[in-house]
Amino acid sequence: MTERDAEILRLAVPALGALVAEPLFLLADSAIVARLGTLPLAGLGIAGAVLATAVSVFVFLAYGTTAAVARRLGAGDLRGALAQGVDGLWLALGLGVVVAVALRLGSGPVVDLLGVSEQARPYALTYLHWSLPGLPGMLVVLAATGVLRGLQDTRTPLVVAAAGAVLNAGLNLLLVHGVGWGIAGSAVGTATTQLLMAVALAVVVTRGVLRTGARVRPHPLGVLRNARDGVPLLVRTVTLRVAALLTTFVAAAQGDAGIAAHQVANTVWTTTALSLDALAIAAQALVGRSLGAGDVAGVRSTIRRMVQWGVAVGVGLGLLVGLTSPLLAGFFAPEGEVREFLVAALVVLAVCLPAAGWVFVLDGVLIGAGDGRYLAGAGVVTLLCYVPAALAVLWLAPSGRWGLVWLWIAFAGLYTLARLVTLVRRERRDAWMVTGAVSPS
């Protein structure tokens, strides 16, 4: 193993734990709620899509912060890096409160927009309402994690994420089946865990800030700068979430069995994709630091090696999911019809994971370089490629197992390929390689 490989793994392996925290929450929720029946699981599928959107739309709080902090670190400005990170934490807290209140006021129309059935609707609303108090905490977790990644520390988020996953599973079991709160207990357990994780990470970042003498209070201009710099990544992420929500909408047309199977398949996809994104996190930190230090050759060397890692890990995950698909379906979907739908979707998912590995690595490279404007434009283009394919599935295969299969071919196959083309096209050029302490976004 080369020194470059060791550095990649030093950052990527711990980052994996923090990245899969939210999918692990949903996996635990899915497994526990599945024992309540198909309708609660279908409701969780709809509410989970709403919450995943609310969190992932603001993923720039982590990704943009990682790149900005890493650049300043590479340029030797640790105090400035931490000050920018503090502004990101305050921005995350404010956004979390605003979004939680907005979703509470508009929860009914939001779940209806996703095509929830009348029978599953009460379960979706119950889970959504009881989960919202944890939303500000999860956004703070994103921002604090971004600060630590930029400082080349991915171990601390790993420790917090691992503790959170264990606590979440325990609370869910206790509140759902022990206390008897049903799907509301699952939501309360997850929200409580998210808030505790936010407190733990915020304390770690604050201690680092105090050691360097940087400010802890928010700077209005700094918060606004973080918000402005995050707009391109926000647009890029919105296109990804629109594609995911459209996929959930089409899956809902397959009936309650279809949306229940899609909920589990989508959670498996998110978990494996974010596992690949652990490499992208390493790319963000390493590329940002190298560009801050003016090391262009180091950036190119990192890209070549990380693409190899991304494809190889994608192949391994694809084999794992494909070979274990009957076992996964039996565990998460005890009812026969749901299990049949799920196995078919998981096989398609497995085939597409190697390409996803390449996509996530290059995405991380360009985020680390602060190339948000290009990523925003590319996101719009790839979404426009996917929308007709998803709608074609809705029109030509409105229900049944094969409708779900074609939907996953469109989402995991065509959409991933479109993203890969736009990212490779950009990476092969040098316009995005801007050196110095300040990101070009």
Side-chain angles (χ1 to χ4, degrees), residues 84-109:
Q84 188 162 353
V86 166
D87 290 333
L89 291 179
W90 285 105
L91 175 63
L93 180 61
L95 288 174
V97 172
V98 170
V99 174
V101 171
L103 281 178
R104 183 62 179 84
L105 295 176
S107 56

Side-chain angles (χ1 to χ4, degrees), residues 45-301:
I46 295 294
V50 175
L51 291 167
T53 300
V55 173
S56 63
V57 157
F58 298 105
V59 75
F60 72 84
L61 293 168
Y63 290 172
T65 303
T66 297
V69 171
R71 272 185 177 267
R72 290 189 178 275
L73 181 68
D77 184 13
L78 177 58
R79 185 173 179 177
L82 286 169
Q84 188 162 353
V86 166
D87 290 333
L89 291 179
W90 285 105
L91 175 63
L93 180 61
L95 288 174
V97 172
V98 170
V99 174
V101 171
L103 281 178
R104 183 62 179 84
L105 295 176
S107 56
V110 168
V111 299
D112 291 338
L113 184 63
L114 293 181
V116 65
S117 70
E118 194 63 31
Q119 294 77 16
R121 188 177 190 270
Y123 296 100
L125 289 175
T126 297
Y127 188 89
L128 182 59
H129 291 167
W130 285 100
S131 293
L132 289 176
L135 186 57
M138 205 58 205
L139 295 193
V140 171
V141 167
L142 287 177
T145 299
V147 175
L148 295 172
R149 288 173 184 164
L151 297 174
Q152 318 293 294
D153 174 14
T154 55
R155 291 183 179 274
T156 300
L158 169 61
V159 172
V160 174
V166 173
L167 177 62
N168 178 69
L171 285 176
N172 271 260
L173 283 171
L174 174 64
L175 297 177
V176 174
H177 298 297
V179 180
W181 287 1
I183 194 171
S186 177
V188 171
T190 299
T192 301
T193 302
Q194 291 169 338
L195 289 171
L196 291 175
M197 290 174 62
V199 171
L201 287 172
V203 167
V204 172
V205 172
T206 301
R207 286 176 177 173
V209 170
L210 293 176
R211 281 196 299 268
T212 62
R215 54 181 170 77
V216 177
R217 294 181 179 180
H219 190 289
L221 292 180
V223 174
L224 289 175
R225 182 175 63 249
N226 274 278
R228 181 203 64 196
D229 292 345
V231 169
L233 287 181
L234 175 63
V235 172
R236 165 251 183 206
T237 305
V238 166
T239 63
L240 296 175
R241 294 314 307 169
V242 169
L245 289 173
L246 176 59
T247 305
T248 300
F249 176 79
V250 176
Q254 316 302 315
D256 287 330
I259 186 60
H262 174 74
Q263 154 63 17
V264 179
N266 190 56
T267 305
V268 173
W269 169 262
T270 303
T271 302
T272 54
L274 289 181
S275 299
L276 294 169
D277 201 29
L279 293 170
I281 295 303
Q284 292 173 27
L286 294 174
V287 168
R289 188 187 67 188
S290 296
L291 289 176
D295 184 11
V296 174
V299 172
R300 282 297 180 194
S301 175

